[in-house]
Amino acid sequence: NEYKSYLRMQPRKKLKTEAESDEVRNYTADDYIIQQLLDLTRENVPIYDSATHFNEYSLRVQQLLGGLKPSKKHNLQEAVAAAQKKKSKWPLFSTFCVPNGTFRFVCPAEFHLCGSTLSGISLNKVPTLDLLMVLPDCVFEKKDYINARYIVKRALYLHYIIPKLKSLDFVKAVKYQFYNNDPLKPILSLSTDADVCFNIIPLIRKGVLGCAPLSADKNNLRPGKMFEDNENVEESHTAFYNNSVLSDFLNTALLDFEKFIMSNENLKNVIIIAKLWIKQKGYSANIGGKTLLSIFHYLVKNSIINTNMNLITLLKQVLIFLSTELKSARISWDTGFDVLYNVKPWVLAEVGVFSGQLLSMINREEYNTFVATLMKRVAAGFEVYDIIYDLEVPDTVSKTSTLQYCGIMFLGFIDRVVNVLQRALSDRVSHIGVAYSLPENMSRMKELVGVRSVQVGISVNKETWTRQVDKGPPGDSPDAAVFKKFWGSKVSLRRFQDSSILYSVLWDGKTVKERRGIVSQITSYILNLHLGISDSMIVERKLDSSRIVGTNYYEGDGEEQAQKIANTFSELSHILRTCSKIPLPITSVQPVAPVLRNTELYPQREYQVHRRTRFQEFPAPGKPCPDYNSIHELVAHFQMSGKWPEDVRGIMRLKTAFYLALKEELQSKHILAKVSTDFIDIVRKGFVFRLRFFVPKEAKLRSTNISFWTPSTAEELRVATEILPYTSSLLNSLSMLHSAFSLTVRYVKYWVHSHRLSHYIPDIFIELVVANVFISAEHLFPIQTATTGFYRTISFLAAFDWGLYPILINLNEELATETYEKYDRFLNTRKLFPDACVVTPKNELSQLTKESPCKASLTILRIMANETLVKLLSQDSMCDPGEVFSGNTGLYNVKIHMKPSQTGFHGRELPQEDHAKSTTFPVVDYHPVATFVTELASAYGSLAWFFYNKYDPSCVGVVLKKSENDPTKFTVNNSSYKIPVEGKLVRDNIDAMLSDFDILGKGLVKSIEVINMDF
């Protein structure tokens, strides 16, 4: 049912014959996914119109280069110096000394035309062919591998032929590129007037240089020859350099494998799928091209895959290898070089995680979302890591670390950074990765010193990353000196509860916010201590929580204030469960308020009482509006009883009597309480809790006995007293399981409200969307920081199509199999469900989002998310919440400005007394702007949108819905806010609507600013 439901969403060709229809009816699950994968390959492999130019242009290039006359012998150092002075850019940006030797140009010995374009596995829109140029043996000497002499001669050879290639009439441009992302191996890229590109790749024959001296454990770069200042430079193996040279040996086996691919359709298709998947995940520069082909050659050679397998079996075997064996496999050719020499360990780990995700989906036959997951674009960054730093590469780097890279500083710097951070952060992190971009346009050697900044990503371990103390060895241990040297002045001797005395490092962690910053404290300190990287050279890409959820009445990010409210709730819950004057005992009290699951944007402070005034009890004319005091909703459950009345009205009266009895008992305990017909408000330690009684029988009776005086329907009652409390408890469990969940929810709420969507996007919808993002990431890259959670939530909102798919959130693994089966045919019954269909346990029909958000609100949300996603990718915007969270106020037609003193958020400073000593009950849940917007939307919702921020209600933005205001015929059903015009026609009475804005907001509205009334 899953894959059939998925296929119904996809455009499919009509079956022309009865035989085709019978074939489709007999499809298995694997047959359907194979068909989808084949469609995917056909859609992404381009058909080239310029194929006729391949051989013609290739032949002309070969004739040109093959006919060049040999040059004179030149001193190697003089040849490099002369090349750097020419207009053609020098392709090496190393800082090593040019070795002694001679260079003489001789025309190439042979050519080989190959590449993915000829094999039919290319994904490039512009056809790109590889022209392998085998350099003649006489250009090199037997020991040119020593001291990078081979690298210099190779670069000189390319530099020599550039002017010759530019002389060809069909060549538009010739530029350098780095082959396989290796900065030691420049190649030439030719673009032609027929939109055909050629990569000219210089190679050498296997016997020119020996293979044995180039094994990974050998040193072929002597510090005394490589660097002028070689003091304190230690000799070590030069594995990277050795493999870089070995990879230049002509590999005829790979050429034969490319021909082999062309004759095996299934193998070709699985390679295309793998290339497409790696491209979407952002790893083409690391595991693309020849590296990927070498991996497939390894799989075929070792019989891990064979051409008799069908497409899905081939893909499954490849994913098994990538997810389990790639990190430890030794993939090499007969020349001995490691195919993965330029692929860092963190890239292999990430590829393993992504391939494991696809493999699990195949094993569970989750084919309805398989192709979408395979094609999902991942821009690395916060898709993988929790913390990201931009580090500036210093001017000086230890030459020992740069030796194997021929003095390239940023590569040695990356190794040093990773090694130091892995040692310092140890078990706090599970994964450290580094990203950088090589320059596309080469500069001369004097101007190009390498990559100037790198991006370091860290995935943290949720159990240990906020630990405050790093314990070291005992004071008398021989390891103490090493520990003290590494940690420097931060080390001190400390006694612990088990009586041990250890060298330790203590980090600041008074609040939860400070403990979340311990990894950043360690990173900043240790990089400065060991690599000389000052704070000005480190930029952490994160959202500043103090500017988003911080206030002046609590420390940190508000977790401590929320915990204070939660502790007060626990005390009140105990008091309620021990009350004796109610005929039925209260068995449990369920929290409903967001603050009790730690997802309230601004946890409420203790209410303030003002002396010599009575406007605290009710709003008074001419006086400032009382401060906004939120209520924290609770639901109480009674002991089971069969004596409840048989009519709704009787149950409601009995509940009110219970509220009155409860108030009497609470007042006897000096606890303030106020009773309404449907709830009781209770004050405890400066916080107001609103308690409702849940009677299961009442919802059943309301569904059968409908009356005009019933305050809510059976479904509304069930949502308020059963579904919402249960969902709240599940979200609270998720919040305790994922420490970043609550702060992420608060970030997203701030984002939604700062775009003034408070009236259209309910808070519970935001929490459920974030919960879905966290649960989806549990088995991939779990979210441990709020910045990562916010980024992934915005990415989800920017891409998700609410019209095609529901969200099934299996909180606490309680969703039944029947629920999943019901939604397999979601599109067939789409009209039965809300515009935002979010399913959770006990909320199988998405009752929580039945009223809002609507389809138009979701469209606005998606547009906002796409705009925000662009800002998040900018470093400056990431560090400035004002950029990320600012809405576009230029779209408003009208702005309704409020009187600051009447909004309840004016921050009035008057003499105050302790709320605990006051007998005055505060004004609670009074939000005049929210009430005003609700009235406006009720009266003019079909004509305009009303945008406001309930946490900063200083202005209401009005956007007119209609695109034109042409007169129309009068009808009774369409007569609201109309004015007659000539010819018995009517049009919208905009002037009267503006006047009504002022009348409805009398005393609250300060001014109405008309910006643009053009429809």
Side-chain angles (χ1 to χ4, degrees):
N1 287 334
E2 283 183 345
Y3 53 79
K4 289 179 181 177
S5 173
Y6 172 76
L7 287 178
R8 277 193 294 273
M9 302 176 192
Q10 310 303 317
R12 292 175 57 192
K13 64 179 182 180
K14 294 182 179 179
L15 300 175
K16 297 179 180 179
T17 65
E18 186 65 26
E20 290 180 350
S21 301
D22 292 338
E23 183 183 355
V24 170
R25 276 193 288 269
N26 295 327
Y27 269 6
T28 64
D30 284 356
D31 291 332
Y32 275 105
I33 190 60
I34 287 173
Q35 190 60 43
Q36 291 298 309
L37 293 174
L38 290 176
D39 291 343
L40 195 64
T41 59
R42 284 192 289 267
E43 291 170 4
N44 289 276
V45 176
I47 299 175
Y48 302 118
D49 297 329
S50 52
T52 55
H53 296 282
F54 293 173
N55 290 329
E56 176 190 349
Y57 285 176
S58 169
L59 186 59
R60 291 184 61 183
V61 171
Q62 295 178 38
Q63 289 174 346
L64 171 71
L65 298 180
L68 295 177
K69 295 181 180 180
S71 69
K72 297 179 180 179
K73 274 192 177 183
H74 298 279
N75 179 276
L76 205 58
Q77 296 173 346
E78 294 176 357
V80 171
Q84 292 174 359
K85 295 178 181 178
K86 294 183 178 179
K87 292 183 179 180
S88 300
K89 298 171 184 176
W90 178 244
L92 296 180
F93 53 113
S94 307
T95 56
F96 61 90
C97 298
V98 178
N100 295 323
T102 59
F103 171 75
R104 181 187 182 215
F105 175 83
V106 179
C107 66
E110 56 184 288
F111 295 92
H112 298 276
L113 188 64
C114 60
S116 57
T117 299
L118 296 179
S119 303
I121 57 174
S122 174
L123 303 179
N124 297 325
K125 293 182 179 180
V126 177
T128 304
L129 293 93
D130 293 339
L131 184 59
L132 307 184
M133 179 177 64
V134 181
L135 306 186
D137 299 352
C138 60
V139 173
F140 304 98
E141 299 175 9
K142 201 67 177 176
K143 291 191 176 183
D144 273 355
Y145 56 80
I146 295 177
N147 297 333
R149 193 156 53 229
Y150 167 76
I151 297 295
V152 174
K153 287 186 176 183
R154 183 184 185 280
L156 282 170
Y157 200 98
L158 292 177
H159 192 272
Y160 184 87
I161 66 175
I162 285 181
K164 319 298 181 184
L165 292 171
K166 288 182 178 179
S167 65
L168 292 171
D169 56 355
F170 61 85
V171 174
K172 289 168 52 177
V174 182
K175 63 179 182 179
Y176 287 111
Q177 288 184 350
F178 289 114
Y179 185 64
N180 199 28
N181 211 37
D182 184 346
L184 297 180
K185 296 178 63 174
I187 63 173
L188 295 180
S189 175
L190 272 70
S191 56
T192 67
D193 54 9
D195 290 330
V196 179
C197 289
F198 291 91
N199 290 330
I200 299 181
I201 304 171
L203 300 176
I204 58 175
R205 294 191 181 95
K206 182 179 177 181
V208 176
L209 304 177
C211 295
L214 289 167
S215 59
D217 58 342
K218 301 292 184 179
N219 180 307
N220 289 304
L221 301 174
R222 311 291 187 258
K225 299 292 185 179
M226 295 294 294
F227 307 114
E228 292 182 0
D229 182 11
N230 51 59
E231 187 177 355
N232 299 324
V233 181
E234 300 176 2
E235 285 196 11
S236 60
H237 66 79
T238 54
F240 183 90
Y241 168 77
N242 295 350
N243 278 298
S244 181
V245 175
L246 283 173
S247 64
D248 263 359
F249 287 9
L250 178 63
N251 191 345
T252 56
L254 188 58
L255 297 177
D256 294 337
F257 184 65
E258 288 189 15
K259 297 175 183 177
F260 176 74
I261 292 171
M262 298 171 66
S263 60
N264 292 273
E265 197 65 25
N266 281 344
L267 180 59
K268 181 163 69 173
N269 286 330
V270 80
I271 292 175
I272 293 170
I273 293 167
K275 290 184 70 173
L276 190 60
W277 171 65
I278 286 174
K279 178 183 177 182
Q280 292 298 102
K281 302 310 175 193
Y283 299 117
S284 294
N286 305 98
I287 313 183
K290 302 301 182 186
T291 303
L292 184 63
L293 284 182
S294 299
I295 293 174
F296 272 93
H297 180 271
Y298 174 86
L299 296 177
V300 172
K301 182 180 178 181
N302 291 276
S303 302
I304 298 174
I305 61 176
N306 62 69
T307 55
N308 295 323
M309 296 176 178
N310 66 12
L311 184 58
I312 196 67
T313 307
L314 277 171
L315 182 59
K316 187 174 180 178
Q317 291 300 115
V318 171
L319 292 174
I320 290 174
F321 175 79
L322 293 178
S323 60
T324 59
E325 300 180 35
L326 181 63
K327 291 186 290 185
S328 57
R330 170 70 179 177
I331 304 175
S332 61
W333 296 95
D334 55 356
T335 55
F337 90 99
D338 184 2
V339 170
L340 303 176
Y341 78 95
N342 198 28
V343 183
K344 297 297 185 181
W346 52 83
V347 174
L348 298 177
E350 291 164 18
V351 169
V353 173
F354 281 123
S355 54
Q357 177 198 26
L358 288 179
L359 181 63
S360 65
M361 295 181 72
I362 293 178
N363 292 335
R364 297 194 301 265
E365 294 189 354
E366 294 180 3
Y367 294 149
N368 57 334
T369 55
F370 179 81
V371 174
T373 304
L374 185 144
M375 289 296 293
K376 181 183 177 183
R377 192 175 225 10
V378 175
F382 290 110
E383 294 284 354
V384 176
Y385 302 108
D386 297 304
I387 304 172
I388 294 178
Y389 303 99
D390 288 319
L391 301 185
E392 182 181 332
V393 179
D395 295 331
T396 57
V397 178
S398 168
K399 287 185 172 58
T400 301
S401 61
T402 66
L403 180 61
Q404 68 166 328
Y405 304 110
C406 295
I408 300 178
M409 288 194 297
F410 74 89
L411 291 178
F413 173 73
I414 289 173
D415 286 353
R416 287 277 290 156
V417 166
V418 172
N419 291 337
V420 169
L421 288 182
Q422 283 179 338
R423 181 177 175 184
L425 298 173
S426 60
D427 62 338
R428 295 180 188 272
V429 299
S430 58
H431 181 55
I432 298 178
V434 182
Y436 61 89
S437 297
L438 292 174
E440 295 183 2
N441 296 322
M442 304 290 186
S443 300
R444 296 187 181 184
M445 185 175 175
K446 292 181 179 179
E447 301 173 0
L448 190 60
V449 294
V451 176
R452 296 306 304 161
S453 65
V454 298
Q455 194 176 84
V456 179
I458 297 175
S459 295
V460 298
N461 188 334
K462 71 175 182 179
E463 285 83 14
T464 57
W465 75 293
T466 56
R467 184 182 64 236
Q468 281 189 260
V469 179
D470 284 317
K471 295 181 180 180
D476 56 353
S477 171
D479 297 330
V482 177
F483 185 83
K484 290 170 65 178
K485 181 180 179 182
F486 182 76
W487 289 105
S489 59
K490 285 281 186 181
V491 177
S492 60
L493 272 174
R494 293 183 175 274
R495 181 187 294 274
F496 294 91
Q497 291 182 348
D498 59 356
S499 299
S500 61
I501 301 176
L502 306 174
Y503 278 110
S504 308
V505 182
L506 178 66
W507 306 99
D508 297 335
K510 180 181 177 182
T511 63
V512 176
K513 177 182 178 181
E514 289 182 347
R515 290 194 289 276
R516 281 196 294 264
I518 287 177
V519 169
S520 295
Q521 293 180 44
I522 297 173
T523 301
S524 177
Y525 172 77
I526 210 71
L527 290 181
N528 186 25
L529 179 65
H530 289 281
L531 298 179
I533 301 175
S534 62
D535 291 344
S536 62
M537 300 168 69
I538 304 177
V539 177
E540 183 177 357
R541 295 173 64 86
K542 70 172 184 176
L543 297 169
D544 186 357
S545 60
S546 61
R547 297 177 61 181
I548 301 173
V549 298
T551 68
N552 57 3
Y553 60 84
Y554 56 65
E555 287 186 287
D557 292 334
E559 284 92 349
E560 290 76 16
Q561 183 72 8
Q563 187 60 45
K564 189 186 298 184
I565 299 174
N567 293 339
T568 306
F569 159 71
S570 298
E571 295 176 12
L572 179 61
S573 177
H574 176 72
I575 294 171
L576 293 173
R577 285 184 279 109
T578 56
C579 286
S580 58
K581 290 188 178 181
I582 305 177
L584 281 176
I586 296 174
T587 56
S588 66
V589 181
Q590 284 187 295
V592 179
V595 72
L596 296 176
R597 53 184 180 267
N598 204 10
T599 56
E600 179 61 50
L601 180 54
Y602 300 111
Q604 181 68 43
R605 63 175 170 177
E606 295 84 343
Y607 73 84
Q608 308 298 316
V609 177
H610 302 268
R611 299 173 184 170
R612 299 184 302 278
T613 61
R614 291 187 55 79
F615 66 87
Q616 190 69 17
E617 291 191 6
F618 54 86
K623 297 291 184 179
C625 171
D627 288 336
Y628 176 74
N629 292 302
S630 63
I631 48 96
H632 310 308
E633 296 205 16
L634 313 172
V635 172
H637 294 253
F638 290 116
Q639 182 179 325
M640 294 297 294
S641 173
K643 296 183 179 181
W644 288 97
E646 294 298 326
D647 64 288
V648 177
R649 194 167 187 176
I651 292 177
M652 293 178 64
R653 286 178 172 175
L654 195 55
K655 283 169 60 178
T656 304
F658 280 16
Y659 290 136
L660 291 170
L662 179 60
K663 175 185 176 183
E664 183 179 346
E665 183 165 357
L666 291 174
Q667 285 181 336
S668 67
K669 298 179 180 180
H670 307 287
I671 298 175
L672 286 178
K674 182 180 287 188
V675 174
S676 178
T677 57
D678 199 36
F679 57 82
I680 178 173
D681 287 340
I682 306 169
V683 175
R684 181 69 177 168
K685 293 187 176 179
F687 304 108
V688 183
F689 298 88
R690 178 164 292 174
L691 181 71
R692 300 179 190 272
F693 292 146
F694 171 62
V695 181
K697 191 174 185 179
E698 182 180 6
K700 294 180 181 179
L701 291 174
R702 287 198 188 189
S703 62
T704 56
N705 299 302
I706 302 174
S707 176
F708 70 91
W709 48 261
T710 303
S712 59
T713 65
E715 185 174 331
E716 291 172 344
L717 180 66
R718 183 169 177 263
V719 168
T721 58
E722 185 179 359
I723 296 177
L724 191 56
Y726 189 73
T727 304
S728 178
S729 65
L730 293 177
L731 290 173
N732 188 40
S733 300
L734 186 67
S735 177
M736 291 187 290
L737 184 62
H738 298 281
S739 60
F741 173 75
S742 59
L743 190 57
T744 300
V745 170
R746 295 168 68 193
Y747 278 9
V748 179
K749 284 184 178 181
Y750 182 86
W751 175 74
V752 169
H753 294 303
S754 65
H755 284 80
R756 302 189 180 184
L757 288 175
S758 300
H759 183 70
Y760 299 105
I761 306 295
D763 283 354
I764 188 64
F765 168 77
I766 298 172
E767 294 184 39
L768 291 175
V769 168
V770 177
N772 176 67
V773 172
F774 269 75
I775 290 177
S776 301
E778 278 183 345
H779 306 296
L780 194 60
F781 294 100
I783 300 170
Q784 306 298 348
T785 61
T787 301
T788 299
F790 178 76
Y791 176 86
R792 296 194 197 176
T793 303
I794 296 301
S795 299
F796 173 82
L797 290 172
F800 192 75
D801 192 335
W802 296 94
L804 289 180
Y805 306 101
I807 294 180
L808 278 70
I809 310 175
N810 196 5
L811 293 167
N812 207 25
E813 302 291 333
E814 293 185 18
L815 273 184
T817 305
E818 293 77 13
T819 304
Y820 283 97
E821 293 175 351
K822 180 193 301 183
Y823 284 93
D824 283 340
R825 298 181 176 274
F826 178 70
L827 283 183
N828 294 346
T829 57
R830 182 65 185 89
K831 294 181 180 180
L832 301 178
F833 298 100
D835 293 327
C837 186
V838 184
V839 180
T840 59
K842 288 196 177 183
N843 179 43
E844 287 83 0
L845 298 178
S846 190
Q847 296 97 320
L848 290 175
T849 58
K850 182 178 181 180
E851 300 299 328
S852 63
C854 64
K855 186 182 296 184
S857 302
L858 294 170
T859 302
I860 294 173
L861 200 65
R862 187 172 183 175
I863 294 171
M864 285 168 33
N866 278 288
E867 292 177 352
T868 303
L869 203 56
V870 175
K871 296 177 181 178
L872 283 173
L873 297 176
S874 166
Q875 175 183 328
D876 297 334
S877 294
M878 176 64 75
C879 299
D880 184 6
E883 288 286 331
V884 176
F885 296 96
S886 60
N888 187 357
T889 59
L891 299 177
Y892 299 147
N893 298 109
V894 178
K895 286 184 180 180
I896 307 174
H897 299 280
M898 305 295 152
K899 293 180 180 178
S901 63
Q902 298 300 321
T903 62
F905 293 84
H906 44 81
R908 182 178 63 249
E909 294 184 2
L910 293 175
Q912 300 168 352
E913 65 182 44
D914 188 352
H915 55 79
K917 299 177 182 178
S918 173
T919 58
T920 304
F921 202 95
V923 175
V924 295
D925 204 28
Y926 176 60
H927 199 309
V929 179
T931 305
F932 174 59
V933 171
T934 301
E935 292 179 356
L936 291 178
S938 176
Y940 298 103
S942 61
L943 188 63
W945 291 87
F946 299 94
F947 299 94
Y948 85 106
N949 181 355
K950 73 176 184 180
Y951 295 102
D952 182 19
S954 58
C955 177
V956 176
V958 182
V959 177
L960 302 177
K961 286 186 177 180
K962 294 186 178 180
S963 59
E964 56 184 3
N965 191 22
D966 296 332
T968 58
K969 291 183 179 181
F970 173 81
T971 61
V972 175
N973 293 334
N974 191 28
S975 60
S976 300
Y977 36 79
K978 300 295 184 182
I979 187 173
V981 294
E982 297 179 0
K984 296 182 180 182
L985 301 176
V986 295
R987 64 173 176 82
D988 295 327
N989 193 350
I990 304 299
D991 295 334
M993 183 183 71
L994 295 177
S995 178
D996 288 349
F997 290 171
D998 190 47
I999 294 171
L1000 290 172
K1002 185 177 180 181
L1004 176 63
V1005 174
K1006 178 182 178 182
S1007 63
I1008 298 177
E1009 178 186 358
V1010 178
I1011 300 174
N1012 180 14
M1013 293 308 295
D1014 294 335
F1015 282 90

